[in-house]
């Protein structure tokens, strides 16, 4: 009888451990999805278009501090004024060996002040 109660206790413990692992995996997955959906934001001073890089439908931005930002030719880009401060929201990339100088694709440019 003692071994039967030990097996029952062991089964309950295993069930609780599995439940905890599933909850932890769901929370980590939700956090990753949240970061992927919201992206990341940098506050920069817009210094104009980088003429050295040309690509149809896209513009490379010169900013201070220097960053590697690319934006689609859209209403956000058309409204940008040289010398103004912007919050640039861009896509986040996950994984190892991410370079600090990687190209950042801007989703949205929000004016902070001029």
């Amino acid at each position: 009888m003692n071994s039967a109660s030990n097996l029952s206790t062991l089964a309950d413990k295993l069930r609780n451990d599995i439940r905890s692992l599933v909850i932890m995996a769901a929370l980590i997955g939700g956090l990753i999805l949240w970061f992927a959906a919201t992206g990341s934001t940098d506050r920069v001073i817009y210094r104009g278009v980088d003429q050295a890089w040309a690509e149809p439908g896209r513009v490379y931005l010169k900013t201070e501090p220097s960053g590697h930002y690319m934006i689609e030719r859209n209403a956000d880009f058309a409204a940008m004024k040289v010398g103004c401060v912007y919050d640039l929201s861009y896509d986040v990339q996950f994984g190892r060996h991410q370079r600090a100088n990687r190209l950042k694709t801007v989703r949205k440019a929000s004016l902070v002040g001029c």
Side-chain angles (χ1 to χ4, degrees):
M1 188 75 176
N2 193 12
S3 65
S5 69
N6 286 344
L7 284 176
S8 176
T9 304
L10 190 60
D12 289 340
K13 185 177 180 339
L14 182 63
R15 217 179 339 244
N16 288 336
D17 289 346
I18 290 173
R19 184 179 313 134
S20 297
L21 288 174
V22 169
I23 291 171
M24 184 174 38
L27 289 173
I28 290 171
L31 189 62
I32 290 170
L33 285 174
W34 181 76
F35 274 112
T38 59
S40 187
T41 302
D42 290 344
R43 184 164 287 181
V44 298
I45 299 171
Y46 173 57
R47 295 293 181 202
V49 176
D50 189 353
Q51 299 295 335
W53 301 95
E55 192 172 316
R58 295 181 177 168
V59 177
Y60 293 84
L61 306 177
K62 286 192 286 187
T63 60
E64 193 177 297
S66 181
H68 299 279
Y69 301 101
M70 178 189 66
I71 189 170
E72 297 287 331
R73 291 186 183 268
N74 57 21
D76 281 343
F77 170 70
M80 292 178 77
K81 297 177 185 144
V82 175
C84 294
V85 178
Y86 288 91
D87 281 341
L88 300 180
S89 299
Y90 56 92
D91 296 329
V92 175
Q93 292 183 351
F94 295 103
R96 294 175 43 174
H97 309 296
Q98 294 297 323
R99 298 177 316 202
N101 63 349
R102 70 176 176 83
L103 184 64
K104 300 171 185 172
T105 304
V106 176
R107 291 183 188 177
K108 183 177 181 187
S110 302
L111 179 65
V112 174
C114 278

